[in-house]
Amino acid sequence: MALAIGFFTIPPNSTPNLRCPLKKDAFNFIHLLKPTPRRRIRRELKSVAAMFTDNVVVSDLIAGGLSGGVALSLLKLWEQTAKRGIFDQKLNRKLVHITLGLAFMLCWPMFSPGRQGAIFAALIPAVNIIKMLLMGLGIWKDDATVKSMTRDGDYRELLKGPLYYASTITLASAIYWRTSPIAIAAVCNMCAGDGMADIVGRRFGGQKLPYNKNKSVNGSIAMASAGFLASLGFMIYYSSFGFMEASMKTVLGFLILSAAAALVESHPLSSELDDNLTVPLTAVLVGSLVF
């Protein structure tokens, strides 16, 4: 007994370490959400702009080549999985839907700040707009792309969802760019949110919404959650480069916007038009109010 008491006795000259291990983590998260000084933002933007070379145009060309290579590699990967039947066609299409836009956004820090970097970045999805038009009109034949991006293998479907998808990313890059939470919310809710809504809804969508029997409660929850978490992740990612300020106001804005996007996506009219059209429009309209 004496040995046990002696083992648990704190030496008189020592200070017990009774701090909660979560305290430091909580402080770090709160510190992350504090506004970033403008001087630091300008300094970090300048350093990122010269990521490859001191010549900004050459640097943007290199960034464009690398970003295009990433997007093309992902597209070819999903084309092969569709061709080999590794995934169900609907699941494969949603994996394309989720990954392409988000992977491209991960490449945005490689471009220079300002309008030039935005235009160079927008050229990459703009090329895909031309491709969707040519294939959707039957001018260009590519069965692998059609199979990986359409519901029923009809090339004319490319003139709807896939075309809206590429247009959204192009406009988000050219108009709003990486300094705007609206760009983040539009792409994240369209890619991660709408993509996860379909995947979860098909597998766990037993309970349907009272106003739309084609949509489920779990699917809508998955959309709001995935869109919000993806937006939050990109906010932290871009703030680490100094592109934007991470704040609780922005977090709340993302939460409101993702909930609104999920509500619009669940409406029957959204299915008739196209989720790739209604979700980004909702992000722009609601984002203009909350940000």
Side-chain angles (χ1 to χ4, degrees):
M1 178 65 71
L3 180 62
I5 294 174
F7 181 78
F8 287 102
T9 301
I10 299 175
N13 295 328
S14 65
T15 302
N17 185 12
L18 301 177
R19 291 180 298 173
C20 175
L22 296 178
K23 183 178 180 181
K24 183 178 180 181
D25 295 335
F27 175 79
N28 288 338
F29 180 74
I30 295 172
H31 178 72
L32 177 65
L33 297 180
K34 289 183 178 180
T36 306
R38 294 185 179 275
R39 184 177 300 175
R40 178 187 165 193
I41 291 177
R42 288 195 296 268
R43 184 173 64 251
E44 292 181 355
L45 286 175
K46 187 176 181 180
S47 64
V48 172
M51 181 175 290
F52 301 109
T53 176
D54 291 336
N55 189 313
V56 180
V57 175
V58 174
S59 182
D60 280 335
L61 288 173
I62 296 173
L66 291 174
S67 302
V70 169
L72 183 61
S73 298
L74 272 175
L75 188 58
K76 292 299 181 182
L77 170 65
W78 298 127
E79 286 178 0
Q80 287 301 313
T81 57
K83 184 178 180 180
R84 299 172 187 273
I86 297 176
F87 300 112
D88 174 78
Q89 183 172 347
K90 293 178 180 178
L91 175 59
N92 197 93
R93 184 174 63 87
K94 283 303 174 181
L95 291 175
V96 175
H97 185 95
I98 293 171
T99 56
L100 278 182
L102 298 183
F104 180 59
M105 284 181 67
L106 288 174
C107 297
W108 281 2
M110 293 191 294
F111 293 89
S112 64
R115 186 54 51 193
Q116 177 182 298
I119 296 301
F120 268 96
L123 289 176
I124 298 170
V127 171
N128 207 36
I129 292 177
I130 299 173
K131 182 180 179 181
M132 294 300 104
L133 287 171
L134 293 176
M135 294 179 62
L137 294 172
I139 300 173
W140 182 1
K141 304 292 184 181
D142 189 341
D143 293 336
T145 299
V146 171
K147 190 173 182 179
S148 66
M149 289 189 171
T150 60
R151 289 183 176 89
D152 304 314
D154 186 352
Y155 67 89
R156 289 170 294 186
E157 290 183 34
L158 296 174
L159 295 177
K160 295 181 180 180
L163 180 60
Y164 299 147
Y165 183 96
S167 299
T168 295
I169 298 175
T170 301
L171 294 176
S173 304
I175 298 176
Y176 294 102
W177 199 211
R178 62 197 177 195
T179 57
S180 171
I182 295 178
I184 295 175
V187 178
C188 286
N189 281 280
M190 180 185 69
C191 295
D194 185 47
M196 289 305 299
D198 187 85
I199 293 174
V200 173
R202 289 183 185 278
R203 284 157 178 75
F204 309 103
Q207 185 178 356
K208 302 299 181 181
L209 294 171
Y211 54 88
N212 189 352
K213 298 302 180 182
N214 294 322
K215 302 288 184 177
S216 67
V217 174
N218 289 337
S220 295
I221 293 174
M223 175 170 180
S225 301
F228 170 69
L229 292 175
S231 299
L232 186 62
F234 273 98
M235 179 196 71
I236 296 173
Y237 177 61
Y238 288 149
S239 67
S240 69
F241 289 95
F243 298 145
M244 63 184 304
E245 295 179 357
S247 65
M248 289 304 301
K249 179 183 178 181
T250 307
V251 173
L252 181 60
F254 282 140
L255 181 61
I256 295 172
L257 198 152
S258 295
L263 183 63
V264 169
E265 189 270 347
S266 68
H267 195 277
L269 182 61
S270 181
S271 299
E272 293 181 12
L273 295 174
D274 195 281
D275 295 338
N276 289 348
L277 177 64
T278 58
V279 170
L281 285 177
T282 302
V284 171
L285 293 175
V286 177
S288 300
L289 298 175
V290 299
F291 295 124

